[in-house]
Every structure is written in C-alpha cells, then in structure tokens.
Amino acid sequence: MGAFGGAAARARLRRRRAAARAAAEAQAGPEGARAVDGAVPVLPVRGRPTVPFPGAPAPLPYGSGPSGAPATRGSLLDVVKVAIIILDTAGRVVLWSPAAEDMLGWPSEVLVGRTIEELINDPGMVDRVRAAIQETLRLGNWHGFTELNDRDGVPIAVEARLSLLVDGDGTPFLQVALADAGTLQAVERDLAVRDALFEQSPLGIAVLDTDLRYTAVNRTLADMNGVAPEEHVGRTTGETLPERAADEITAIQRQVLATGEPVIDVTLASPVTARSGFRSISYSRMTDRAGRVLGISGTVMDVTERYRAVAKVEHARRRLSLLNEFGSRVGDLLDASRIAQELAGAVVPRLADYAGVILLQAVAHGDDLPRHGHDRRTSLLQLGVASVQDGPEVEVMLRRGARITFAEDSAFGRVLRSGVPELLSGSDELSDVSYPGDPKVQAAHELGVHSRLVVPLRARGIVIGLLVVSRAGYREGFDRDDLAFTVELADRAGSSLDNARLYARERTAALTLQRTLLPQQVPQPAGVEVAYRYVPGSSGTEVGGDWFDVIPLPGERTALVVGDVMGHGLRAAATMGRLRTAVRVLAALDLPPDVLLRHVHELADDLAQGPDEALLATCVYAVFDPAGQRLTVTKAGHIPPVLVVPGPAPGEEPTRTGGPLPGGVGQVLDLPSGAPLGVGGVPFESIELEIPEGSLLALCTDGLVESRDKDLDVGLGRLVSVLEQPYASIQQACEAVLDTMEQGREPDDVALLLARLGRGQAGTPTAGWTLPAEPTAVSRARRLVRGTLTEWHVEQLTDTAELLVSELVTNSVRYASAPIGVRLTLGDTLLVEISDPLPDPPRERHAAEGDEGGRGLELVRRLALHWGARAEGMGKVVWFELALEEGAVQLPDSML
C-alpha cells in the first residue's frame, strides 16, 4: 500500500512537472528551448559562452529558434524579461523555464530537482530566501530583491515575486517570477521621468488612440482647454473643444495618423471657451516595438506672447510699408483730388472699413488758405472716399464731391478749430460728428460703424482738412496706436496736399498770364479760314512759351505766325508776350517776312528773359495774298510748315470757306532753316509759292510732333498723314491732329494753327494795270480809276482816289525807271496799290508854304483811311484805303 501510494505520488508529480513545463514553455514563447524527438533541448543564445554545471554534461551549441528563424521583439517584455520558476515547498526546482535559462544561463535539466539555495553564495541571502518561502506559504505571496548566480558565477540582482500555487490534489507549489533588477529599475526610472514630464511639463501633452480618442492628457492641456483631465479620456477633440476650433485640429490629427508624417509648430487661435490667445501644436504618430500603430501624441504650447510680439513687429512693418507706399504713390502727384483719393484708398481695408478725405475748398481750388479760424461757414468738400462694400448707405455716407456742413460744437468743428485728433466710440460720440440729423450719421449707424477717428490734415500749422476713418462689424475698435499712426499718415498727406494747392495756384497764375498774352480774338480774314488749338503743358507751373497769331495785313493779305520761346515758366511766358508784341508791331509796317525776323533778332537783347540770359526762340512767319494766291514763308529754326494741296475734283469748284475739307496730298515745306532768334550767324531767307485754291497750311510747335524715342520726321509724317484725310470742317481736322499726339511725349505746350487758303470773298471786284514810267502815265491812271469806280458804282470816291493815285504815280514816274503797276480792290474799303521797281520806301516830309512839291504823301496821310508801303520782289508797293461812306471829302485850305 505504501509502495503503491508512493508510486502514485511520483506519477502525479511527474504529470504536474510536465504541465508546469508546458505552461512555462508556452509563456516563454518561441524563444524558449524545445525538445525535438527526445533530443536535448537547444538553448537560446545568451551572448556569452556557457560554463557547464558541476557534474552535468555540457549543453549543445545554441543560436536560433526551433525553426531557424531569429527571435522577434515586439513588446515591453522584450526589454524587461520575466522568468518563471516553479519550486516545491522545500525550495527545490520543479520547473525551470526557458526564460530563466536565458536570464541565468542554467539549463533546466541541470537545475530541476536542486534547491534554489545552490544558486546563492551569500548565507544571509540564503536565510532571506528561506524566510520568503515561509512567508509565501503562510501569506500566499512575497515580493523582494535577491541575487542569484548565473552559470558564470556572477551574481545577478533580480526582483522576485513569489506566489503560492495549489494543484488539484491540494499540493502546494511556489511560482517565482524573476526580472532583471537593473533593467527593471531603468524602466521604472524612465516611467518616473515620463510621469514627471507629463504632469509637470509647461506644455500641454495628449495621447490619443487610433480612433483619435484621448487616452491621457496632462493638467496643463486640461487647463488650456478649460476641461478636466478625466473628461478628456475616451472623447475626441471634436467632443471636447468647440466645433470651429476642433475641425482644424482634427484634420491635422487624421493627417498625422494616416501618413505618419509629424506636424510641428502649427499656430492656431485658442478655442473661444479657453484662454484667449494662440497655440502652437505638434503631433506625431506612436508605434510599438513591432511597428504596430498605437495612436498619436501631441504637444500644445501657449505662444500668445510670442505671437503677439511677432504680430506687433509685423503690424509695425505693414504700417511702415503703408507709409512708404503712400509716399511713393503721391510723391509726384500735384492734384489735390487725386491725392485725397489715394489717401482714402491707402487706409481701406488695411486700417479701416470706410474712409473719407474732407478738404477746404481753398485747397481743392488752389486758393490762398484762410487767415481766420474755422467755423460752420467754412466750405468743405469730400474729395476722397473708399469703402469695403458698396450700397445706398455707403453712397449717402461717402459721396465724392459732396459739400460737408457741420455744427461748431461737433467733432468736425472741434478738430478743425483745435487741430487735435479725436477717437470716437459709443453711440453718443458717433452721433455727434457733424450736426444733428445728418443723413451720413444715420447711414453710418446702419452700416454698423462702431469706432471712428477724426484726424486733422495740417500744413504749416494750419488745418486744411480732415481724414475720417471708420470701422464696422466684428472688427476691433481703434486704439491709441491706430490714432498715432493715422496722425502720422495725415501729416504726410497734408504736406502733399499743400504742395498740390500751391501748384494749382501757381499754375493758374501762369496759365492766366499765358492766356492773356495769347490772342484773345483770332480774326478770320478774307480768303483765309483759320482754326487753332492751344494745349498747355502738363508739368506743373512750367507753362511754355508757345504762341500763335493771325495778323490782317493791307491788301486783304494775312500773316500767320507760330513761335516757341525756349524754356518754361512765368519768365518764358512773359518773354513770349514781348516777342509776340514785337512781331505784331513789325507786321503792321508790312515788312517782308525775312526782314521782319531780322528786325526781331536785332531786338533779342531787349526781349531776353533777363540780363544774364539770352533770348532763344523759334518762329515761322507766313504771309498769304489771296488776290495772287501767293504764299511767302520764312522761319527761324522752327518746325517746318505742312501744306496739303486738294486733289483734283473734275467738274467741281474748290471748296470755299466754311465747307468740308476734301483732303489731298500733303508735304513738308522745304525752307531754309534759319537760326533761332537770338542766335544769329545764319541769314533769314524767304520762299514764295503759288498756292492752289483750297490748300491747307499747318503751322505748329515741336510739342505736337516730337517725342522722346522717335525722330522729328516720324512726327511730321504722322501730321501729314492725318491732314491728308477728308474732314467735315477745319475744326474737326484740328481735333483729329491733337488726338494723334504721342502719349509718351515730353510734357510741353502745343500750339497748332490751320489755315485754309482761298481767293477771298466771292465776287470781290479787282482791277489792275501796268503803265510805263512816262509823264503820260499820270493822266492815264486817273482815267482808268475814274472809269473803274464808275463801273463799280462808287463814284463818291472818284475825286479822292484820282487825286491820291496821281500823286503816287507821279512819284513813281519821277524816281522809277521801269513799268508802274496800279491795282484797285473793292471790299469793305477801296484798296489802291501802286507798285514800282524802286526798293526805297517813300518818306513823308513837311513842305513849307512856298514849296511847290513835297505834299503828296501828306495828302495820302490826310485823306486815306489807312496807308503804307511794303517790299515786293525787288521793288515796293505803296497802298492806301478809302472808306466807302457817302459824302464829299473836304480838303484843308493848306492843301489847295
């Protein structure tokens, strides 16, 4: 019985050991040693050579798992390995797991059946182990540290956990779980560091699983979000934060979880439920040692101060950029309206939602600034407006060109008087802007305006206007920094506006002077249809010295003049006036064109702009005689004239004055250049042309045909091509010429004079004869004049005309040696012309009472309406005019 019972006990023990070994091998995993077909188990590689247990055979070499595949590492147990040992109550090894073999190097077949005490050298430690076994048998578990010798005899510090096991038969066993103490302490230290960083970090830290639900958050992040830590766990960001803030963060989390690419330092605004400010968030994906995705981790840092500092620097940079941009945009502007509009456009939307620039009327019109203070009678105009939207309310509040009125105790009145800017907020202050009941105030209220700045525009200490900027809607109200910046911007604008005012004043004065010096009324002489245009230069007060003139001459002839004084400004305009006066005075003497320009050149010193500046001017002077269709032209360094001859039109009469221009063939007249007036050294020469009826003559200044990048011939060719086209009138031709001016030309004045040359008034009676230089020519001339005047039914002029003709023909017969010409023309007056080849003009003298002669020219001067002499060819022409009024002409007694 005892033998049987002992055999049965031994059988049960063998079964328990096999079961325990199988459990240990299963726990050890693929790294545990396995027996194959009864062979000795193959031990895993431990990294150092093994030493046989005393009295036991050496193990076989080891190095790989049972299938030859290397061991895998995929969890924390690969770092902190736990070895399982089964002991009986006497401390003998019943089961020695492969993990224990790997930890201490002892194979199970060597240690099974031996006491655990054999692995301990220190007697004190042996006693402690025995006490631990007894405590485990009594209490069921024990935890502590001890040292076990490995196969090399090196003591290994381990942490041991003993647990009491009882099988189905009630037999007690001890399960010992061993872990390397050094590795375990390192892991615990890392965990302690992790806990310290997690809980004490100034950064918000969050751990989320693969469903993007919080598994852990630290106190810092909970405080940032305004939600308790425990309320985060198990919830997503969308369930924790407001929807608008959560959407952007959730999108980043999904991106990181899907791609594995970390997102670092993305700045977002804080949720509205938490502290206001800005956050920097960073997320990265977490994986275990086997590469499995566990979720994501994130850090959140409050960067409000940094963001605001950067934003402040950026804000200052943008404002400096705005100042520089505004300065560059208005630096070359000299128009107050454009500057006002640029100022309004510069502040919207970067500074405000609505802006209005209000200026004194004196600034807008270039008048002098008022010397007295501003009051409600001060005339203000709103010349610059800008807004972020359009609509009827905006049109009411910001209408360009509107006249602004205000009460003296309003914000407008206070700022205009004191020059101190005001920041307005609140309904009461915003309503007290201009005057009670102002529709603009009501429109601003409807637009949601909640903050407004009223800033003075100043120049030389005088308030010249107001800059009014407003913010509406959800935009923050203005602060003191905004007010200081707006004042600086307004000061810069004030200087530009005052410069524009001074420019407008000086330009107005210069243009007034120039227009005063130009012809106030341009005559339309017989046989000539004239059209003209004058375009002032576009470069400020620098008006030019261009001018034109149309001067009627005796014999229905007409002088056409265009000139240009070099330089710009008031002095050039004044010189132009003196030069034009000199030309008109000399033209009244009926001098030939080349002689006239020579006399003007001789007056250069007197006509110069100053004692240290010489006169430098160009001029073209043309004289047209409609009776003979003759054109005499000379120029002094000027742009040559253009002549357009009408094309053939069979069966049609040439177009008369006032009709359409048929077009034709144009050419630039080839004239001797002549030196500019004031230069000298080159004689002035005239050419005489016979002009077909209806021809178009164009005289202009260089501003019309010159440009920076093209030759003069290009401009003249363009002018010819334009004038060759047909037009409804000569005025339309003028407009067509101006429309073709080069856009990139110099900002110079332009003077254009077009003249259609005809035969004078239709049906004008004309008669002429050539008489020999003999005494009989006098009586014959009287008979011809008497008969012609009788035929023309102006017999009342016969006696006077016969007397004066006989006197002039007598002078020609006395001094000339070639034929004498006599011509009568009946127009508004009777024109009588006596020509001879003698170049010297007649000289009037005063005859004494006893003198027999010397009274001829005095008679002409006394009896004629006008008289004069002019050079013609190699000789001269003496002419006089008689009025057509009825009544006898009474001769003075001294002339009888």
Side-chain angles (χ1 to χ4, degrees):
M1 186 66 182
F4 180 80
R10 287 192 294 272
R12 287 195 302 270
L13 179 60
R14 285 195 297 270
R15 287 195 300 271
R16 290 168 184 160
R17 288 177 176 176
R21 181 183 296 273
E25 289 178 353
Q27 182 175 356
E31 293 184 357
R34 296 182 182 180
V36 181
D37 297 332
V40 177
V42 179
L43 299 179
V45 177
R46 297 189 66 238
R48 67 175 187 261
T50 59
V51 178
F53 195 85
L60 295 175
Y62 54 90
S64 63
S67 62
T72 60
R73 296 179 178 270
S75 69
L76 186 61
L77 293 178
D78 294 323
V79 178
V80 183
K81 294 185 177 181
V82 178
I84 302 299
I85 304 172
I86 303 298
L87 304 177
D88 60 12
T89 55
R92 288 188 297 269
V93 177
V94 178
L95 183 143
W96 188 262
S97 68
E101 293 179 5
D102 184 62
M103 180 181 295
L104 297 175
W106 298 106
S108 60
E109 60 270 19
V110 174
L111 287 183
V112 172
R114 298 175 182 269
T115 63
I116 195 67
E117 297 173 0
E118 297 182 32
L119 299 180
I120 302 173
N121 292 331
D122 186 2
M125 190 66 68
V126 172
D127 294 338
R128 185 178 179 186
V129 170
R130 291 174 180 173
I133 292 174
Q134 294 302 318
E135 182 177 347
T136 303
L137 292 174
R138 186 175 69 255
L139 300 178
N141 58 74
W142 179 87
H143 174 225
F145 292 89
T146 186
E147 288 184 353
L148 299 178
N149 293 335
D150 66 1
R151 194 167 184 175
D152 296 330
V154 179
I156 302 297
V158 295
E159 180 180 354
R161 291 181 180 269
L162 279 65
S163 300
L164 178 64
L165 301 177
V166 180
D167 65 1
D169 297 331
T171 304
F173 293 93
L174 299 179
Q175 175 182 284
V176 182
L178 300 178
D180 185 279
T183 304
L184 190 61
Q185 289 175 358
V187 172
E188 290 178 346
R189 184 172 58 251
D190 292 344
L191 291 176
V193 171
R194 175 261 180 197
D195 291 341
L197 290 176
F198 192 81
E199 295 299 334
Q200 301 176 16
S201 173
L203 304 180
I205 302 176
V207 179
L208 297 90
D209 60 16
T210 54
D211 294 329
L212 297 180
R213 296 183 178 276
Y214 290 106
T215 60
V217 296
N218 65 351
R219 174 58 62 180
T220 304
L221 181 59
D223 293 341
M224 286 183 180
N225 291 341
V227 181
E230 58 272 13
E231 295 182 11
H232 284 77
V233 177
R235 300 169 66 183
T236 64
T237 303
E239 296 169 343
T240 307
L241 299 179
E243 180 179 357
R244 185 174 181 181
D247 290 344
E248 192 169 4
I249 298 176
T250 302
I252 295 175
Q253 292 173 348
R254 289 174 178 169
Q255 175 186 343
V256 173
L257 183 63
T259 64
E261 294 291 332
V263 171
I264 301 173
D265 195 19
V266 175
T267 302
L268 301 174
S270 299
V272 294
T273 59
R275 296 191 304 242
S276 62
F278 299 89
R279 299 178 178 181
S280 170
I281 64 172
S282 301
Y283 284 100
S284 61
R285 192 167 68 181
M286 298 186 305
T287 57
D288 62 10
R289 296 174 63 83
R292 294 186 298 270
V293 178
L294 302 179
I296 62 173
S297 65
T299 59
V300 181
M301 180 170 57
D302 189 341
V303 294
T304 302
E305 295 301 325
R306 183 187 74 180
Y307 183 88
R308 288 177 177 172
V310 173
K312 189 174 182 179
V313 172
E314 179 63 18
H315 187 59
R317 186 197 65 78
R318 288 198 301 266
R319 290 194 166 180
L320 180 60
S321 175
L322 175 59
L323 287 175
N324 293 336
E325 179 184 346
F326 174 72
S328 63
R329 289 167 64 177
V330 304
D332 57 349
L333 294 182
L334 292 173
D335 184 282
S337 297
R338 291 185 60 189
I339 295 175
Q341 187 58 40
E342 289 289 346
L343 176 58
V347 299
V348 174
R350 286 184 280 186
L351 179 66
D353 297 318
Y354 305 97
V357 180
I358 302 170
L359 300 179
L360 298 181
Q361 183 171 324
V363 177
H365 296 165
D367 299 331
D368 292 332
L369 295 178
R371 299 182 180 274
H372 53 77
H374 301 297
D375 54 28
R376 60 184 180 82
R377 294 169 296 180
T378 301
S379 182
L380 298 174
L381 298 176
Q382 187 166 250
L383 297 184
V385 297
S387 64
V388 294
Q389 63 178 356
D390 296 326
E393 294 84 3
V394 177
E395 178 63 23
V396 172
M397 184 176 70
L398 299 174
R399 183 167 62 85
R400 192 173 185 185
R403 188 170 297 277
I404 303 299
T405 58
F406 60 93
E408 294 188 11
D409 58 347
S410 64
F412 284 1
R414 293 192 300 270
V415 175
L416 282 172
R417 287 194 308 273
S418 65
V420 178
E422 293 192 8
L423 192 161
L424 307 178
S425 59
S427 59
D428 293 339
E429 292 182 354
L430 292 173
S431 300
D432 186 28
V433 173
S434 53
Y435 62 88
D438 188 353
K440 294 186 289 298
V441 175
Q442 179 61 30
H445 176 72
E446 295 175 0
L447 290 171
V449 172
H450 58 77
S451 185
R452 175 171 285 170
L453 296 178
V454 181
V455 178
L457 297 168
R458 290 172 292 206
R460 297 192 303 275
I462 301 175
V463 178
I464 62 174
L466 299 173
L467 171 61
V468 183
V469 294
S470 307
R471 287 182 178 175
Y474 295 103
R475 194 166 185 173
E476 293 182 359
F478 292 110
D479 55 22
R480 290 298 172 182
D481 289 341
D482 296 324
L483 180 61
F485 171 75
T486 308
V487 169
E488 182 176 357
L489 183 64
D491 287 342
R492 295 196 180 192
S495 299
S496 297
L497 288 167
D498 191 52
N499 290 338
R501 179 189 67 84
L502 295 174
Y503 155 79
R505 185 182 67 178
E506 295 301 323
R507 177 173 172 79
T508 300
L511 290 177
T512 301
L513 172 62
Q514 192 175 42
R515 291 192 180 106
T516 302
L517 297 176
L518 288 173
Q520 302 303 303
Q521 293 182 348
V522 176
Q524 296 286 345
V528 179
E529 183 182 7
V530 175
Y532 60 91
R533 294 292 186 274
Y534 177 78
V535 181
S538 58
S539 57
T541 60
E542 297 298 309
V543 296
D546 296 13
W547 96 94
F548 66 92
D549 213 341
V550 178
I551 307 172
L553 298 177
E556 295 187 344
R557 294 173 303 117
T558 303
L560 305 170
V561 191
V562 169
D564 183 7
V565 176
M566 300 301 176
H568 295 84
L570 293 175
R571 299 177 69 181
T575 301
M576 176 269 291
R578 293 195 296 268
L579 185 59
R580 174 175 174 261
T581 301
V583 171
R584 288 190 69 90
V585 170
L586 292 173
L589 300 177
D590 208 0
L591 299 175
D594 54 338
V595 177
L596 183 143
L597 292 184
R598 185 173 69 249
H599 283 300
V600 174
H601 169 69
E602 292 172 353
L603 297 173
D605 291 340
D606 292 332
L607 298 176
Q609 299 182 14
D612 300 327
E613 300 180 23
L615 171 69
L616 188 61
T618 63
C619 182
V620 59
Y621 187 90
V623 176
F624 176 65
D625 183 358
Q629 290 291 290
R630 308 292 296 178
L631 179 68
T632 305
V633 189
T634 187
K635 69 186 183 75
H638 198 79
I639 301 296
V642 171
L643 182 67
V644 179
V645 178
E652 295 184 7
E653 291 293 330
T655 304
R656 294 287 181 179
T657 299
L661 293 178
V665 179
Q667 62 174 324
V668 179
L669 296 182
D670 186 13
L671 303 177
S673 62
L677 300 173
V679 175
V682 178
F684 301 107
E685 300 180 28
S686 299
I687 64 169
E688 187 172 334
L689 305 171
E690 185 172 349
I691 303 299
E693 185 178 0
S695 296
L696 183 66
L697 179 68
L699 308 178
C700 66
T701 55
D702 55 4
L704 179 65
V705 294
E706 284 188 344
S707 63
R708 299 175 180 175
D709 54 352
K710 295 181 181 179
D711 294 336
L712 178 62
D713 293 340
V714 176
L716 287 173
R718 183 178 67 251
L719 177 61
V720 170
S721 63
V722 172
L723 293 177
E724 287 179 334
Q725 305 301 316
Y727 296 100
S729 66
I730 192 172
Q731 301 293 340
Q732 188 182 49
C734 267
E735 296 296 333
V737 170
L738 294 183
D739 289 342
T740 63
M741 287 193 302
E742 287 283 344
Q743 296 298 321
R745 68 183 184 88
E746 295 289 344
D748 196 5
D749 292 10
V750 171
L752 173 65
L753 181 62
L754 298 183
R756 176 159 50 181
L757 309 178
R759 289 187 177 277
Q761 298 177 357
T764 299
T766 302
W769 309 275
T770 300
L771 307 175
E774 299 176 354
T776 58
V778 178
S779 59
R780 185 180 175 186
R782 285 198 298 266
R783 289 193 304 271
L784 292 172
V785 168
R786 183 185 305 112
T788 301
L789 296 182
T790 300
E791 182 181 350
W792 290 349
H793 305 290
V794 286
E795 294 87 350
Q796 71 273 15
L797 301 179
T798 302
D799 294 338
T800 305
E802 283 189 49
L803 174 61
L804 300 185
V805 166
S806 64
E807 290 292 335
L808 294 179
V809 171
T810 299
N811 286 341
S812 296
V813 170
R814 181 178 302 173
Y815 299 108
S817 59
I820 301 168
V822 178
R823 185 172 67 177
L824 304 181
T825 303
L826 183 62
D828 295 333
T829 62
L830 175 64
L831 173 65
V832 180
E833 297 173 292
I834 310 298
S835 61
D836 61 52
L838 187 67
D840 297 332
R843 291 183 298 175
E844 182 182 359
R845 63 174 182 165
H846 298 282
E849 293 183 1
D851 294 341
E852 295 182 359
R855 295 180 175 84
L857 290 181
E858 187 175 355
L859 281 173
V860 173
R861 181 177 62 80
R862 293 283 187 95
L863 300 178
L865 181 64
H866 301 289
W867 81 281
R870 69 175 185 271
E872 187 174 274
M874 299 299 295
K876 68 178 182 297
V877 174
V878 181
W879 57 271
F880 63 87
E881 291 179 351
L882 297 178
L884 298 182
E885 291 85 1
E886 296 182 358
V889 178
Q890 298 295 329
L891 294 177
D893 295 339
S894 59
M895 302 295 294
L896 298 177

